[in-house]
Amino acid sequence: QVQLVESGGGLVQPGGSLRLSCAASGSISSAYVMAWYRQAPGKQRELVAIITSVGITTYADAVKGRFAISRDNAKNTVYLQMNSLKPDDTAVYYCNGRWEKNYWGQGTLVTVSS
C-alpha cells in the first residue's frame, strides 16, 4: 500500500506561481508513471502532466509552457511547478502514482483569483 500526500496549494493571483509537492510513502523510482490530475468545480477530473520512470514528460495542452512536472527519486517526491496561473487553473489537484496498483492522493486546492 502506497500513500501519496499533496501539499503546496493555496490562493494565488492571476499570473502568479505555485509549486505543488507529492510525497510518496513508497519508492517512486519503481513506479511506472507519476502524474498530476485536477478537477475543477462541476467538471470531470482531467490529466495535467505525466512523468515516466525514465523522465519523459507529457502535458495537457491547457498547461503546456506554463507547468512543469519533475521528480526527486531520493526524496520520493514529485513536483508540479505552475507558472502564469489563470483563473481557469482553479481546481483540486491530485497526485497519481501507478505501480502494480493505481494510487491517489487526497488532493490540494489551488485557487487563482484576484
Side-chain angles (χ1 to χ4, degrees):
Q1 188 78 6
V2 175
Q3 290 186 331
L4 301 175
V5 180
E6 302 98 334
S7 61
L11 174 64
V12 62
Q13 291 187 341
S17 298
L18 280 176
R19 188 177 80 156
L20 306 183
S21 299
C22 170
S25 62
S27 172
I28 66 169
S29 62
S30 62
Y32 299 120
V33 166
M34 299 296 299
W36 286 95
Y37 286 74
R38 68 185 182 186
Q39 187 166 16
K43 295 186 178 181
Q44 290 189 332
R45 191 174 297 189
E46 63 178 4
L47 176 66
V48 175
I50 284 177
I51 185 165
T52 71
S53 58
V54 294
I56 297 172
T57 58
T58 305
Y59 297 93
D61 287 343
V63 307
K64 278 181 184 176
R66 300 188 298 122
F67 289 13
I69 187 171
S70 61
R71 59 195 295 162
D72 185 335
N73 289 343
K75 295 183 178 180
N76 288 319
T77 300
V78 179
Y79 303 98
L80 184 68
Q81 178 67 44
M82 306 186 295
N83 300 325
S84 302
L85 283 161
K86 306 174 182 180
D88 283 350
D89 296 317
T90 295
V92 177
Y93 284 72
Y94 296 92
C95 180
N96 171 257
R98 303 172 201 174
W99 287 262
E100 294 302 322
K101 292 176 63 175
N102 199 27
Y103 295 94
W104 292 91
Q106 82 289 349
T108 185
L109 177 63
V110 172
T111 303
V112 184
S113 175
S114 55

